[in-house]
Amino acid sequence: MSDKPSVLFVCVHNAGRSQMAAAWLTHLAGDRVDVRSAGSAPADTVNPAVVEAMREVGVDIAHEQPKVLTVDAVQASDVVITMGCGDACPVFPGKTYLDWTLADPAGQGVAAVRPIRDEIRTRVEDLIAGIAPTKTG
Protein backbone atom coordinates (compact mmCIF):
# COMPACT_ATOMS: atom_id res chain seq x y z
CA MET A 1 0.00 0.00 0.00
CA SER A 2 1.37 3.39 -0.98
CA ASP A 3 1.24 6.61 1.02
CA LYS A 4 1.16 8.53 -2.25
CA PRO A 5 -2.18 9.84 -3.45
CA SER A 6 -3.41 8.27 -6.67
CA VAL A 7 -5.32 10.09 -9.38
CA LEU A 8 -7.29 8.73 -12.33
CA PHE A 9 -8.19 11.03 -15.23
CA VAL A 10 -11.12 9.84 -17.36
CA CYS A 11 -12.51 11.13 -20.65
CA VAL A 12 -14.38 9.36 -23.42
CA HIS A 13 -11.54 8.49 -25.80
CA ASN A 14 -8.48 8.84 -23.49
CA ALA A 15 -6.86 10.52 -26.47
CA GLY A 16 -6.80 14.17 -25.44
CA ARG A 17 -7.83 15.81 -22.18
CA SER A 18 -7.12 12.89 -19.86
CA GLN A 19 -3.79 12.20 -21.56
CA MET A 20 -2.73 15.84 -21.14
CA ALA A 21 -3.85 15.89 -17.50
CA ALA A 22 -2.00 12.67 -16.68
CA ALA A 23 1.13 13.93 -18.42
CA TRP A 24 1.00 17.28 -16.59
CA LEU A 25 0.50 15.58 -13.22
CA THR A 26 3.40 13.20 -13.85
CA HIS A 27 5.59 16.06 -15.12
CA LEU A 28 4.79 18.48 -12.29
CA ALA A 29 4.42 16.15 -9.29
CA GLY A 30 6.98 13.52 -10.25
CA ASP A 31 6.86 10.49 -7.99
CA ARG A 32 4.72 12.22 -5.33
CA VAL A 33 1.51 11.02 -7.03
CA ASP A 34 0.48 7.79 -8.76
CA VAL A 35 -1.16 8.77 -12.06
CA ARG A 36 -3.56 6.87 -14.32
CA SER A 37 -5.75 7.79 -17.26
CA ALA A 38 -8.46 5.90 -19.10
CA GLY A 39 -11.41 6.29 -21.43
CA SER A 40 -14.95 5.00 -21.42
CA ALA A 41 -14.62 4.34 -25.19
CA PRO A 42 -10.87 4.59 -25.88
CA ALA A 43 -9.58 5.67 -29.28
CA ASP A 44 -6.88 3.77 -31.14
CA THR A 45 -4.25 6.49 -30.70
CA VAL A 46 -3.63 9.73 -28.84
CA ASN A 47 -4.74 12.81 -30.80
CA PRO A 48 -1.70 14.02 -32.82
CA ALA A 49 -2.54 17.69 -32.12
CA VAL A 50 -2.46 16.90 -28.39
CA VAL A 51 0.91 15.15 -28.75
CA GLU A 52 2.28 18.19 -30.60
CA ALA A 53 0.84 20.73 -28.12
CA MET A 54 2.43 18.85 -25.21
CA ARG A 55 5.73 18.52 -27.09
CA GLU A 56 5.78 22.32 -27.42
CA VAL A 57 6.02 22.60 -23.62
CA GLY A 58 8.60 19.85 -23.24
CA VAL A 59 6.28 16.98 -22.29
CA ASP A 60 6.48 13.95 -24.59
CA ILE A 61 3.35 11.80 -24.73
CA ALA A 62 4.00 10.30 -28.17
CA HIS A 63 4.48 6.84 -26.61
CA GLU A 64 1.16 6.88 -24.72
CA GLN A 65 -1.77 4.68 -25.74
CA PRO A 66 -5.44 5.13 -24.86
CA LYS A 67 -6.59 2.69 -22.18
CA VAL A 68 -10.02 1.36 -21.32
CA LEU A 69 -11.65 2.46 -18.07
CA THR A 70 -11.85 -0.41 -15.60
CA VAL A 71 -13.49 -0.80 -12.21
CA ASP A 72 -10.06 -1.77 -10.83
CA ALA A 73 -8.53 1.55 -11.98
CA VAL A 74 -11.28 3.47 -10.18
CA GLN A 75 -10.96 1.35 -7.04
CA ALA A 76 -7.18 1.89 -6.99
CA SER A 77 -7.51 5.69 -7.16
CA ASP A 78 -8.05 8.22 -4.38
CA VAL A 79 -9.16 10.98 -6.76
CA VAL A 80 -11.13 10.39 -9.96
CA ILE A 81 -11.37 13.33 -12.34
CA THR A 82 -13.82 13.04 -15.21
CA MET A 83 -13.79 15.20 -18.32
CA GLY A 84 -16.93 14.83 -20.35
CA CYS A 85 -17.58 11.13 -19.89
CA GLY A 86 -20.90 11.52 -18.11
CA ASP A 87 -22.02 8.62 -15.96
CA ALA A 88 -19.59 6.07 -17.44
CA CYS A 89 -17.37 6.14 -14.36
CA PRO A 90 -18.30 3.77 -11.52
CA VAL A 91 -18.67 5.45 -8.12
CA PHE A 92 -17.24 4.00 -4.92
CA PRO A 93 -17.50 5.38 -1.37
CA GLY A 94 -14.40 7.07 0.00
CA LYS A 95 -13.15 8.40 -3.34
CA THR A 96 -13.00 12.04 -4.32
CA TYR A 97 -14.77 12.71 -7.61
CA LEU A 98 -14.25 15.90 -9.60
CA ASP A 99 -15.64 16.82 -13.00
CA TRP A 100 -13.55 19.22 -15.05
CA THR A 101 -15.54 20.93 -17.80
CA LEU A 102 -13.03 21.42 -20.62
CA ALA A 103 -13.30 21.89 -24.36
CA ASP A 104 -12.80 18.68 -26.32
CA PRO A 105 -9.66 18.74 -28.48
CA ALA A 106 -11.01 16.04 -30.82
CA GLY A 107 -10.78 17.18 -34.42
CA GLN A 108 -9.00 20.39 -33.44
CA GLY A 109 -5.63 21.66 -34.60
CA VAL A 110 -2.70 22.51 -32.34
CA ALA A 111 -3.75 26.18 -32.08
CA ALA A 112 -7.10 25.14 -30.56
CA VAL A 113 -5.47 22.58 -28.26
CA ARG A 114 -2.99 25.05 -26.68
CA PRO A 115 -5.55 26.88 -24.49
CA ILE A 116 -7.00 23.52 -23.35
CA ARG A 117 -3.48 22.31 -22.52
CA ASP A 118 -2.78 25.47 -20.53
CA GLU A 119 -6.08 25.30 -18.62
CA ILE A 120 -5.38 21.67 -17.73
CA ARG A 121 -1.93 22.64 -16.42
CA THR A 122 -3.48 25.28 -14.14
CA ARG A 123 -6.04 22.79 -12.82
CA VAL A 124 -3.34 20.16 -12.26
CA GLU A 125 -1.21 22.68 -10.36
CA ASP A 126 -4.20 23.42 -8.10
CA LEU A 127 -4.80 19.69 -7.66
CA ILE A 128 -1.18 19.08 -6.64
CA ALA A 129 -1.37 21.88 -4.07
CA GLY A 130 -4.35 20.09 -2.53
CA ILE A 131 -3.21 16.47 -2.57
CA ALA A 132 0.61 16.50 -2.70
CA PRO A 133 1.99 19.86 -1.62
CA THR A 134 5.73 20.31 -1.68
CA LYS A 135 7.24 19.74 1.74
CA THR A 136 9.07 22.78 3.11
CA GLY A 137 11.59 23.27 5.84
Side-chain angles (χ1 to χ4, degrees):
M1 196 61 134
S2 174
D3 289 334
K4 294 190 289 187
S6 58
V7 177
L8 170 65
F9 295 101
V10 182
C11 66
V12 175
H13 300 296
N14 190 222
R17 295 166 289 189
S18 56
Q19 289 285 350
M20 286 189 283
W24 274 128
L25 184 53
T26 300
H27 181 74
L28 297 170
D31 64 359
R32 294 183 291 146
V33 179
D34 286 328
V35 182
R36 298 174 184 82
S37 71
S40 54
D44 293 329
T45 60
V46 175
N47 178 334
V50 166
V51 172
E52 180 58 29
M54 293 301 288
R55 183 179 292 123
E56 290 177 352
V57 294
V59 181
D60 183 8
I61 63 170
H63 64 283
E64 294 296 333
Q65 288 294 313
K67 295 165 278 309
V68 69
L69 175 64
T70 66
V71 170
D72 289 343
V74 177
Q75 285 181 313
S77 301
D78 299 310
V79 179
V80 179
I81 299 173
T82 58
M83 304 171 189
C85 62
D87 296 330
C89 194
V91 176
F92 295 98
K95 310 285 179 202
T96 299
Y97 291 87
L98 303 171
D99 185 52
W100 289 357
T101 303
L102 297 160
D104 188 348
Q108 303 294 321
V110 175
V113 173
R114 287 182 189 120
I116 302 167
R117 172 200 67 200
D118 296 344
E119 182 177 351
I120 291 171
R121 179 184 177 135
T122 299
R123 289 178 186 229
V124 166
E125 288 170 339
D126 291 344
L127 177 68
I128 292 168
I131 67 169
T134 305
K135 292 180 176 53
T136 57

